Amino acid sequence: MTKFTRRNFIATGGAAFLSTTLSHHSAAIPSNASLYAGNGDAPEVTGAKLGFIPVTSACPLIVAKAKGFFAKHGMPNVEVLKQPSWAVMRDKLMLGSGNEGLDGAHLLFPMVHLMATGEISYGRKVPMYILARLNLNGQGVSVTNAYQDLKLGLDSSSLKSVFAKKSLGGENVRCAIPYRRVTGDFFMRWWLAYGGIDPDKDVSLIVVPPPQMVANMRGGSMDAFCVVDPWHHRLIKQGIGYSTVTSGELWNNHPEKALGVRAEWVDKYPKAAKALLAAVLEAQMWCDRPENKAELFQILSQRQWIGVPNEFLRDRLLGKFDYGNGRVVENSPHAIKFWRENASYPYKSHDLWFFIEDMRWGNRPKDFNPQPIIDAVNREDLWREAAKLIGQEKAIPASTSRGVEKFFNGLEFDPQNPQAYLNAPKIQ
């Protein structure tokens, strides 16, 4: 660990905390003609195949297509294709578009690293790049209405004896996550562990695709799930369960999804990659503007995108959280963010956090040095180029680190001293 705790990470940009907050309103954005005309910077190809899962964190890719931002940047033939699960997304990224797969996708950001190392791609290393974060916040934990009387919130401790009794009676306690070794997995573990529940011994963590979680809870096959909206709101509206906590309450402004693209495609078409990224950045700015929200809901409700009614999308995207247990929070600071508060920039310190968290739960050796993988996968340099292209130089952070991160359970992650976080206890 001493190999990278200070020297290696500081060399990548240090850990100075960026205190300035960016406005979600962008400056005037040049037209496509002025961006590319006469400078030889036009994209080498006009299309790419991008995948997405129908959850609200996919908004930037959906909007980039629906509102014509890809076309504006010379890539009218970009396809944004709905996928049924993260496992299918992974498999199609392994194939690439030349083999009826995908060039890039809306991804749980640790998946990009885990594909690059071959850990979730059947041992095959698939070179991947993170080009942008797609959002901050947006997840949460919900439970079945069978636990309504427990009035669960941040503290899950009242479930400990209930789960123990179920297990003694031969029942399997199941808590669903969207994928293993990603933010949703870790957040569910945090919430359980804070109440003294060991997520590796006291419950079964099962993987369920986000669009199937509500149906599975309705069928009684699981006790809790961690996922992105709109599925929490849908669960509540259908009277099946309630939300205990939003992920922003666990870690305010935590990194969520990423735009992950096959390195082969980016390296072969660097100008197209820059144009693609610029279009997504513009879409992120568009998504965060209050005056665009009504149109955003209308777009997302269409069948080819998320395909659920406006009432399941609207409130939480506006920062109104109805937890389904009598608690309602208006104008929550933990609402999903796409551009404001540096939501789009892919901080390397967040990639480092993932590797350290992965070590804490025993998924890799504690002497593993993640810095080479972080530097190979995280292409924040391309993000900077795209930001300059669309006149957003002021949005470029001063450092590749967001500094010390603070969590609900009292723990802190200091990118300059990750060993301290690695040594922190997992179970309350």
Side-chain angles (χ1 to χ4, degrees):
M1 289 295 291
T2 56
K3 293 179 181 178
F4 69 91
T5 51
R6 292 187 65 86
R7 184 177 68 253
N8 290 8
F9 190 68
I10 291 172
T12 68
F17 181 73
L18 184 67
S19 59
T20 55
T21 301
L22 297 179
S23 168
H24 59 273
H25 288 283
S26 66
I29 299 173
S31 69
N32 181 49
S34 64
L35 283 171
Y36 301 111
N39 62 8
D41 224 16
E44 302 92 343
V45 291
T46 62
K49 290 187 176 180
L50 306 177
F52 78 99
I53 298 293
V55 290
T56 52
S57 54
C59 284
L61 293 193
I62 293 170
V63 165
K65 181 61 179 179
K67 291 294 294 178
F69 289 114
F70 288 132
K72 174 182 176 181
H73 284 273
M75 301 193 68
N77 299 318
V78 170
E79 298 177 64
V80 178
L81 306 167
K82 187 186 294 187
Q83 306 300 316
S85 70
W86 296 115
V88 170
M89 190 91 83
R90 172 206 59 204
D91 292 348
K92 289 191 175 181
L93 283 168
M94 290 180 67
L95 291 171
S97 64
N99 293 305
E100 300 185 1
L102 298 167
D103 298 304
H106 149 251
L107 284 174
L108 295 152
F109 88 84
M111 290 181 69
V112 185
H113 302 93
L114 294 170
M115 289 186 68
T117 59
E119 291 171 270
I120 62 167
S121 44
Y122 314 104
R124 174 188 157 198
K125 296 180 180 180
V126 183
M128 295 284 296
Y129 292 150
I130 287 176
L131 300 190
R133 294 272 186 259
L134 292 179
N135 67 293
L136 304 177
N137 301 329
Q139 295 197 47
V141 176
S142 286
V143 297
T144 173
N145 269 339
Y147 305 124
Q148 186 74 252
D149 291 345
L150 297 181
K151 303 185 186 306
L152 296 164
L154 275 171
D155 186 358
S156 64
S157 60
S158 58
L159 278 175
K160 186 174 176 64
S161 60
V162 176
F163 283 176
K165 185 176 180 180
K166 287 188 69 172
S167 296
L168 285 173
E171 294 185 67
N172 195 5
V173 179
R174 298 182 180 91
C175 298
I177 56 176
Y179 206 80
R180 299 196 187 280
R181 299 172 65 184
V182 298
T183 49
D185 182 3
F186 297 143
F187 293 156
M188 176 62 82
R189 288 171 177 272
W190 286 3
W191 182 72
L192 292 169
Y194 191 62
I197 301 166
D198 189 328
D200 290 319
K201 297 178 181 178
D202 299 335
V203 303
S204 294
L205 293 182
I206 61 172
V207 174
V208 176
Q212 297 176 22
M213 286 193 174
V214 173
N216 276 310
M217 191 169 281
R218 182 191 302 112
S221 63
M222 60 197 197
D223 298 84
F225 64 60
C226 183
V227 74
V228 185
D229 281 310
W231 307 113
H232 296 284
H233 202 64
R234 188 165 193 167
L235 179 85
I236 292 164
K237 288 295 185 182
Q238 294 183 6
I240 302 167
Y242 69 98
S243 289
T244 63
V245 66
T246 65
S247 54
E249 293 173 78
L250 302 177
W251 177 8
N252 188 36
N253 287 343
H254 67 82
E256 230 273 287
K257 299 301 193 301
L259 172 60
V261 182
R262 285 170 56 95
E264 180 182 43
W265 189 88
V266 174
D267 294 342
K268 186 176 181 179
Y269 307 119
K271 296 175 184 178
K274 184 177 177 179
L276 185 85
L277 180 53
V280 172
L281 266 56
E282 285 199 36
Q284 289 182 278
M285 289 186 280
W286 188 94
C287 287
D288 260 358
R289 295 188 187 117
E291 64 269 23
N292 295 332
K293 295 298 185 183
E295 185 179 358
L296 175 62
F297 306 148
Q298 188 275 327
I299 292 170
L300 298 179
S301 66
Q302 295 173 26
R303 183 177 296 273
Q304 72 268 35
W305 305 128
I306 296 181
V308 299
N310 281 0
E311 59 264 29
F312 294 149
L313 296 160
R314 181 180 58 246
D315 285 359
R316 292 202 174 195
L317 279 170
L318 291 175
K320 179 182 178 180
F321 290 90
D322 180 349
Y323 289 73
N325 58 359
R327 181 187 177 200
V328 178
V329 176
E330 301 267 5
N331 301 314
S332 171
H334 308 306
I336 193 169
K337 296 160 187 171
F338 300 104
W339 179 260
R340 55 200 171 104
E341 299 188 50
N342 294 353
S344 175
Y345 177 75
Y347 286 103
K348 287 189 175 184
S349 60
H350 290 154
D351 298 357
L352 180 62
W353 164 82
F354 156 66
F355 281 104
I356 303 303
E357 186 70 9
D358 210 31
M359 292 177 197
R360 288 181 74 229
W361 291 102
N363 294 320
R364 63 178 72 249
K366 291 189 176 183
D367 61 354
F368 179 82
N369 180 2
Q371 205 60 56
I373 298 295
I374 293 172
D375 291 338
V377 168
N378 187 309
R379 295 303 306 273
E380 60 84 31
D381 58 315
L382 299 182
W383 191 97
R384 291 167 182 263
E385 291 181 19
K388 291 175 182 177
L389 179 66
I390 61 172
Q392 289 296 312
E393 291 88 351
K394 292 182 179 180
I396 300 173
S399 169
T400 60
S401 171
R402 200 171 71 170
V404 176
E405 304 285 350
K406 298 182 178 182
F407 311 115
F408 81 111
N409 52 17
L411 297 184
E412 294 186 356
F413 173 71
D414 183 350
Q416 289 194 6
N417 183 20
Q419 184 74 47
Y421 184 71
L422 180 60
N423 294 339
K426 298 191 295 289
I427 311 300
Q428 178 83 335

